[in-house]
């Protein structure tokens, strides 16, 4: 998994029928020092993540193992909203201190 | 998924028999600021995307979960035509304003 | 899929038994402007591609969906010999004009 | 697989229900000379790796083949705690000499 | 697949139980001109490759299609020991001339 910040949404009317009702979030990858990178992905979300929250994103076939994901053509999904990230015994991110 | 612009097509006569009738689009990846990158992929399309439209592309095993994709040797597929992309509450792309 | 030029072959005697009879081609990736990149892959070929031909290469689990690929430990395969690539209504490559 | 150093942890309350009880480690990739790279991943751990230990990390569908991983939306997992890494007959890393 | 040189080994005592008995080789990727790159991977080996031999490495789910690999959390495997690599009708590598 990679750590990412939720930074946006994608909407679509004309799509694969199995994607009806799927929420698509734009997520921005976190680098190794806790900085935000310019690179992004679009991930399906069933966890209910909101703008600016940090999340764990799974890519590849793993994305289809979220709730009701089995038959969907998705290759990235938010699988957890992050409470804390610690690195070498230092707190890199805490959801509580962000809000 | 990644966001991409449809920029071309690939045609082929001699191919895996399961690929007969599959439409192959050349898509150009969007970067994190909405800019278009030089890198590309070739994606199967069953959604009916046209030149210059922005689309969501799924890669890997997810591509075989599009309609009739189960047995095809494809590793990328257009899964949605994008209406809007918003990032940090700003509209990065809107299909309506493009045309 | 990605577009690539067939540029070589790999031969091997000592290998996984399921790979007996599989033809391995060295393919060189095409960049977004139709230029050839230094990076390469080795792809199984059942389509019959020849040196200098441009081909579509599928990677990942998709490679096992070529004819007789189901049980082989291959992660890349030539799935089509390309006739034409067009980008923004310009012909980037045509098999006919190459020969 | 890639070699990585365990450098941190991620905690999460709100997540896919199948991820309850899964330990998430932040791991930092080793480069080809044994140096530590800035890039990282978050990997599920059932092996019991501790901070600063060097581990083998599998990514992609392989991660679901760890103990009890079958149905989880994970794309990276610690699969082994490394004792030694040797390269060209030189010892690049030894767990014993690190402690 | 990618071409790589076998350059080392990884040993581990504490690991996923399904990995008992699996030999892990450190392999160094070959670049497009036959040069060796600094980047590496760790690959399971059932073919019996030795130090300095050039091999074909499959990554992703393909690695589980080697002999007895079905249930193992591995994402890379040596699938062939290379005899020759030729590119544009020139011999880039030959096992015979190396020894």
């Amino acid at each position: 998994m990679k750590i990412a910040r939720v930074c946006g949404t994608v909407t679509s009317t004309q799509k694969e029928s199995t994607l009806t009702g799927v929420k698509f979030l734009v997520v921005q990858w976190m680098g190794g020092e806790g900085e935000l990178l310019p690179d992004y992905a679009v991930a399906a979300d069933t966890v209910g993540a909101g703008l600016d929250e940090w999340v764990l994103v799974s890519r590849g076939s793993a994305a289809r193992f979220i709730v009701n994901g089995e038959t969907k053509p998705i290759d990235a999904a938010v699988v957890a909203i992050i409470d804390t990230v610690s690195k070498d015994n230092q707190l890199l991110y805490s959801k509580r201190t962000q809000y």
Side-chain angles (χ1 to χ4, degrees), chain A:
Chain A
M1 283 68 65
K2 296 283 277 185
I3 298 170
R5 180 183 77 95
V6 177
C7 66
T9 54
V10 171
T11 62
S12 167
T13 311
Q14 195 175 338
K15 57 192 162 189
E16 284 285 322
S17 61
T18 54
L19 295 179
T20 304
V22 175
K23 186 166 64 167
F24 289 115
L25 298 179
V26 183
V27 300
Q28 177 179 17
W29 301 117
M30 191 202 77
E33 306 297 330
E35 80 280 17
L36 291 166
L37 301 175
D39 203 16
Y40 76 98
V42 176
D45 176 50
T46 56
V47 178
L51 189 65
D52 261 336
E53 286 194 303
W54 283 32
V55 292
L56 277 185
V57 175
S58 278
R59 288 179 289 178
S61 56
R64 292 197 302 279
F65 286 77
I66 60 169
V67 176
N68 297 323
E70 306 83 5
T71 60
K72 295 183 167 60
I74 56 175
D75 64 5
V78 172
V79 298
I81 298 174
I82 293 175
D83 292 335
T84 62
V85 179
S86 59
K87 193 182 160 195
D88 291 313
N89 294 318
Q90 303 237 328
L91 199 61
L92 206 64
Y93 168 83
S94 169
K95 184 176 171 178
R96 190 162 298 206
T97 59
Q98 294 298 111
Y99 291 92

